[in-house]
Structure formats: C-alpha cells, structure tokens
Amino acid sequence: MKNGKPKRLIFIYNANSGLRNGVMDIAHKLISPSTYECSLCDLTHGVFREHKLWKSFREGSATEMEFLHKDEFEKLYASKFGHKFTFPVILYEEKDELQLLVSTEELNGLGKLEELIALLQNRLSKMESQS
C-alpha cells in the first residue's frame, strides 16, 4: 500500500442478512457450533452479542470499518468485473479498489479473537510504515 492507512476496512460475514437468517445463525451456533460456517462471526461475536474486546478494538480504531453480510456485499459492490472472494473475508479499500487484507483461510485458521486483533494491528502497522 502506497498511501499509509487504507481508506477503510470491509468485513464480510459468511452469512446473509435479515431477521430469519439471524435466528437461523443463532440456532446453528447453539445446536452445532463446530459446523458454523462463519469464523469471522465466531471470533467477533458470541451467540447473542458482540464480544466486549472486539467492540473495544473496533470503537478505538482510527481506521473506518464497514461490516456486511455476504448478500449485502454482493448487492453493494456488484460490478461488471465481479469480485471473486470467498467468505468470510476482510478487505480494504484503497483508491476506490478493494484489496484482500485477511483471507477466508486465514480467518478459518484463527482460534481466538486476540489473534484476529493482533493480525489486523500488524497488517495495518505494516501498511502505515510503507508510506
């Protein structure tokens, strides 16, 4: 990255929006948590609410953050080129282009919220130092 900090981070959950989908996600987390397919949600949220540590990190960050479900992302960022991302994923916006920051595979490999926060801090710090 050439300009230091990214314009913003975009977090995309591997889940669809809406009340019905939210209820289904909660049920899935309660009944069969090991098969729940959104590691980003698993890391940042408990069954019913956002983790306090994540909320503190998010609110204390100087970097703008946007959080979307995959259907919201696909609707908002549809283009003739089409984005070929797997979900969940964390992207960053630079000069009106979306770049990969944390891949699905990386998110799936994280075991704790602290690991996600450390990874984000490290990558953002590297971006700033490259400016």
Side-chain angles (χ1 to χ4, degrees):
M1 176 164 202
K2 298 173 186 143
N3 297 339
K5 284 185 145 181
K7 182 175 177 182
R8 70 182 154 154
L9 299 183
I10 303 170
F11 296 77
I12 302 126
Y13 297 105
N14 188 28
N16 287 318
S17 62
L19 180 60
R20 182 175 185 267
N21 290 315
V23 170
M24 295 298 290
D25 285 343
I26 290 170
H28 195 159
K29 282 182 167 184
L30 287 170
I31 295 167
S32 185
S34 64
T35 63
Y36 187 66
E37 296 181 351
C38 186
S39 54
L40 178 59
C41 184
D42 253 356
L43 290 166
T44 61
H45 290 72
V47 175
F48 297 107
R49 67 178 68 107
E50 182 177 29
H51 289 301
K52 288 180 184 180
L53 177 62
W54 178 248
K55 184 176 182 178
S56 176
F57 169 75
R58 182 180 55 75
E59 289 178 347
S61 177
T63 304
E64 181 184 343
M65 298 181 191
E66 180 177 11
F67 297 87
L68 300 170
H69 294 90
K70 65 183 176 181
D71 62 320
E72 294 167 327
F73 171 77
E74 290 166 348
K75 184 177 179 180
L76 286 171
Y77 291 93
S79 74
K80 63 182 177 180
F81 302 106
H83 295 290
K84 304 293 184 209
F85 298 110
T86 57
F87 302 106
V89 68
I90 303 172
L91 308 173
Y92 68 91
E93 185 177 10
E94 178 184 40
K95 296 181 182 178
D96 296 324
E97 290 186 25
L98 299 179
Q99 305 291 330
L100 183 66
L101 183 66
V102 183
S103 71
T104 301
E105 293 77 19
E106 289 176 296
L107 286 167
N108 290 343
L110 298 174
K112 294 189 219 174
L113 175 56
E114 292 84 357
E115 294 172 0
L116 173 60
I117 291 171
L119 179 64
L120 290 170
Q121 289 171 328
N122 182 280
R123 298 224 171 134
L124 289 171
S125 176
K126 283 182 181 179
M127 289 176 170
E128 288 176 5
S129 68
Q130 291 175 352
S131 60

